Each structure stands twice: as C-alpha cells, then as structure tokens.
Amino acid sequence: MKNVILAKTAGFCFGVRRAVDMAYGIAGRDKVYTYGPIIHNETVVEDLEAKGVKVVHSIEEAAALAGGTMIIRSHGVSKEEIDLLKQMGFDIVDATCPFVKKIHHIVEKYSEQGYGIIIIGSADHPEVQAISGWCKEPPVIIESEEEAREFKTDPDKKLCLVSQTTFNYNKFQLLVEIISKKGYDIRCLNTICNATEERQSEAREIAGRVDAMIVIGGRQSSNTQKLYDICKNECKNTYYIQTLVDLDLKTFESIGNVGITAGASTPNNIIEEVHTNMSEMGNEQSFEQMLEASLKTIRTGEVVEGTVIDVKEDEIILNIGYKADGIITRNEYSNTSNLDLRTVVNVGDTMQAKVLKVNDG
C-alpha cells in the first residue's frame, strides 16, 4: 500500500490567493491588463488571458495602449513604474502582496533617512527588482556566501538589511551572520514571509521520511525552486513538476512512501490532481490480484454450494466461486444411465455438491 503525504502548506499563500482573486474579480471587463504575470504560474496566466486579461511586460508596451485597468502583479513594481502608469491614464488595481508592500515601505523609509539598503535575494527576481525601485539609491543585492564575504562599504554608513519574502530561511541566517561580522551599523529586518518559512520547514520534514518527493510549481517560481533544493537535499528521489503531465507515474509503482508539496503560486486543482493520482496508484490492484482475492479456497471432501452456469446432455457446469468451475457428470448426478440432464436441470439453479478432486484446470 502506497503512503502519500500531502504537505498542509502546499499551494497558494495569502498574497498569491489575494492577487489571483482580484484578477479574476475584474476579468471580463473591457481593456484589463496585468503589469507582468500576476503570479509565477503559466496555467493561471493562460487562463486569465483566455478571459481577456492580457499581460503587459514593459512601460513601453503599456504606452502603446489606450488606457484601461492595470493590475499590479503580486511581486509588486517600482514606484516610478506605478507613477508612469497613472500618468498614462490607467486605473491601478494594486495586487502587490501585502508582505512585499511592507518591504517597499521599509526601504523607502530607511533610504530617506540615509541608510544604505541591502536586499538578501535574487537580483533577477521581479520582487527584488520591485523592492529596488522603492530605494532612493541603488541597493546592494546579495544572494550567495561569496557575495556576502566580498561585501564592503563606507564604515560610517548605516545599513538596513531586508530579505526577499521567499528566500531560504537558513541561508538568510547564514548570510546575515557573515555580513554582521564585518562590524557595520546594521538594522536587520527578517522580511521572509512566515508562510514561506512554514512551507520550507514542512517540506524538509516530509522529504526526510519518504522514499520520493514531488514538488509542484512553475519553472519560473523562485519559492518552488527553493523548495525543490531543500527536498533534494533530504531525499535524492525528488521530482520538480509543473503539472501531472510532467510526472512519469511508472517511476512510483515500486515506491512506498511519497511526499507532495507545492510552491505558493500552484493552484489547488493541480495539487489535487497529482495527489489523487498518486493515492489511487497506492490503492490499485491488478484485475488478476482482485480476482484472486475474491476467490475462495476449497478442499477435497468439502460440500460446496454453487450456481449452474451451463447444462449439457451428460454434464453440469457449476460455478462454486473457485478459480475453476465444478463439473458434475451424469453418473454423479443420477443412477438413470440415459438421463438427459437438460430435462431436469436449468441454468441458474443452485445445488450442493461434494468436492471429489481439486486441480488447477
């Protein structure tokens, strides 16, 4: 029996759910756009596009449009971009995750006070790019140990350190420790989302006790990639998929314990589809196995009851619930030598018989 463990924290986080609900809430109106993909999930983005919500990838692309409603993606955008979109006449619907929005306010406040901003995260990630756009001066972005060790600045410069909300918590602690040892005056704010910490912690725990781990999420999803790295470190048989189509179910036929988690941008229907298929694999039996389990055993000398399934002139075929049918000859049924059994027995009759011999025939 396959044991399938689905992480309780798998799927949409609060910020993503809020953004998706806002987008679907105004889908169908005239001229609705999202500035950048609303979340890092191709399935959701494509579904919204089918409902008329188009993705705008740049200010230049937005400038070519004749206004409309612009939904700000969950990762947020820079202050300058929002101001420009307003100037172009767009009605702004801000679906920025509230936890990301909080970081915007933090870096804006501290940079105005003269602090240098350090962002722990990936420079290529749209969330980090958006946070950078709320700083008065270009921030320092650090993602690796090497970058943390090489970092240096004016000794008298006060620093404010924040994190990308989906950054690996353990790695964040390590990088902060490296930077702190340099002796700078640092105001350190752990802005990793609590949901991210819980998701990563649960994924690590499950991966440590299963034979295979499935991580579901978009290829562009940073938090899903981090989940995969965490699980891979605990369980070598870890698989990164976007949907059930990416999964070779045959791989799991001989695996007993399977864990499933998913990134913050993964819809519940995709998670449920994978979970259902894995669970059904665990409960499936072949037709031969089910048939074998349903058939009783019989012993020589035992009296059994059966149902007539065929009658010939000189023999009766009896279904007795065994893997082979019972055969009753004319001589075993009656002392009348020339009796036509078809005249006295009908298909569907029930009768008792004594087992004289058992074979595999």
Side-chain angles (χ1 to χ4, degrees):
M1 179 72 69
K2 193 181 298 299
N3 181 33
V4 182
I5 304 169
L6 175 62
K8 295 177 182 178
T9 54
F12 282 172
C13 65
F14 163 73
V16 168
R17 168 59 65 190
R18 173 178 174 272
V20 170
D21 286 348
M22 291 173 73
Y24 276 105
I26 60 176
R29 296 185 191 176
D30 186 37
K31 295 192 296 186
V32 179
Y33 311 95
T34 64
Y35 192 72
I38 188 72
I39 60 171
H40 272 159
N41 187 278
E42 294 175 11
T43 303
V44 173
V45 172
E46 289 171 2
D47 187 52
L48 281 169
E49 187 164 358
K51 290 176 170 57
V53 182
K54 308 298 183 182
V55 180
V56 173
H57 297 92
S58 67
I59 287 294
E60 291 74 23
E61 191 177 337
L65 302 172
T69 301
M70 186 68 73
I71 306 170
I72 303 302
R73 64 194 179 197
S74 58
H75 296 112
V77 298
S78 70
K79 187 176 187 301
E80 180 185 11
E81 287 170 306
I82 288 183
D83 290 342
L84 287 171
L85 290 169
K86 288 179 179 178
Q87 291 172 18
M88 293 174 189
F90 287 99
D91 294 325
I92 302 298
V93 175
D94 194 350
T96 304
C97 170
F99 294 104
V100 176
K101 199 70 178 175
K102 179 181 177 182
I103 304 174
H104 294 177
H105 295 319
I106 290 172
V107 298
E108 184 179 33
K109 169 187 171 183
Y110 278 94
S111 60
E112 285 177 348
Q113 295 176 6
Y115 281 74
I117 306 297
I118 300 175
I119 304 173
I120 302 295
S122 171
D124 296 329
H125 195 277
E127 179 189 316
V128 174
Q129 293 170 349
I131 295 169
S132 300
W134 289 84
C135 301
K136 296 298 180 184
E137 297 178 1
V140 175
I141 302 172
I142 295 176
E143 184 177 14
S144 67
E145 290 183 50
E146 182 181 0
E147 290 171 333
R149 297 186 197 284
E150 291 179 351
F151 169 74
K152 58 183 178 180
T153 189
D154 181 349
D156 298 324
K157 182 79 170 177
K158 293 188 295 184
L159 302 173
C160 174
L161 187 151
V162 297
S163 173
Q164 179 181 332
T165 58
T166 56
F167 202 74
N168 183 300
Y169 180 68
N170 290 337
K171 188 174 181 181
F172 170 78
Q173 289 183 309
L174 174 61
L175 298 184
V176 168
E177 182 181 354
I178 293 171
I179 297 170
S180 298
K181 288 180 179 179
K182 296 179 181 291
Y184 297 114
D185 182 0
I186 300 178
R187 173 77 174 182
C188 180
L189 300 167
N190 176 11
T191 52
I192 295 177
C193 176
N194 288 338
T196 297
E197 293 183 44
E198 292 172 4
R199 191 189 309 271
Q200 292 176 356
S201 177
E202 185 182 24
R204 182 180 294 106
E205 188 274 329
I206 292 175
R209 58 188 175 96
V210 296
D211 304 308
M213 192 75 185
I214 300 171
V215 181
I216 314 168
R219 291 294 177 189
Q220 303 302 316
S221 170
S222 172
N223 75 86
T224 307
Q225 180 62 55
K226 291 179 178 66
L227 281 176
Y228 173 77
D229 293 339
I230 289 168
C231 293
K232 186 72 172 177
N233 192 52
E234 300 293 331
C235 177
K236 65 178 183 179
N237 294 322
T238 296
Y239 302 86
Y240 191 149
I241 67 169
Q242 295 190 87
T243 65
L244 181 65
V245 175
D246 302 323
L247 199 60
D248 183 2
L249 295 177
K250 292 182 180 179
T251 304
F252 297 87
E253 288 179 350
S254 60
I255 293 177
N257 298 317
V258 178
I260 301 173
T261 189
S265 298
T266 307
N268 286 340
N269 64 303
I270 294 178
I271 299 170
E272 189 57 36
E273 185 179 27
V274 174
H275 182 229
T276 299
N277 275 268
M278 295 306 300
S279 298
E280 287 178 350
M281 275 187 66
N283 294 323
E284 282 178 353
Q285 287 181 303
S286 67
F287 176 77
E288 291 79 7
Q289 289 173 319
M290 290 188 288
L291 182 61
E292 188 71 28
S294 69
L295 297 174
K296 61 187 178 182
T297 58
I298 59 174
R299 294 177 295 275
T300 300
E302 182 179 354
V303 176
V304 296
E305 185 172 288
T307 302
V308 176
I309 58 174
D310 192 20
V311 184
K312 299 178 182 179
E313 182 181 352
D314 59 351
E315 67 180 17
I316 302 166
I317 310 299
L318 198 66
N319 177 8
I320 57 174
Y322 185 57
K323 59 186 177 182
D325 295 322
I327 300 174
I328 303 175
T329 65
R330 177 162 47 198
N331 292 337
E332 292 166 341
Y333 182 82
S334 171
N335 290 327
T336 305
S337 58
N338 295 321
L339 176 65
D340 185 344
L341 294 178
R342 293 173 295 185
T343 63
V344 292
V345 178
N346 297 306
V347 172
D349 289 350
T350 59
M351 61 179 62
Q352 288 187 327
K354 186 175 183 178
V355 180
L356 301 180
K357 183 173 65 175
V358 178
N359 61 46
D360 291 332

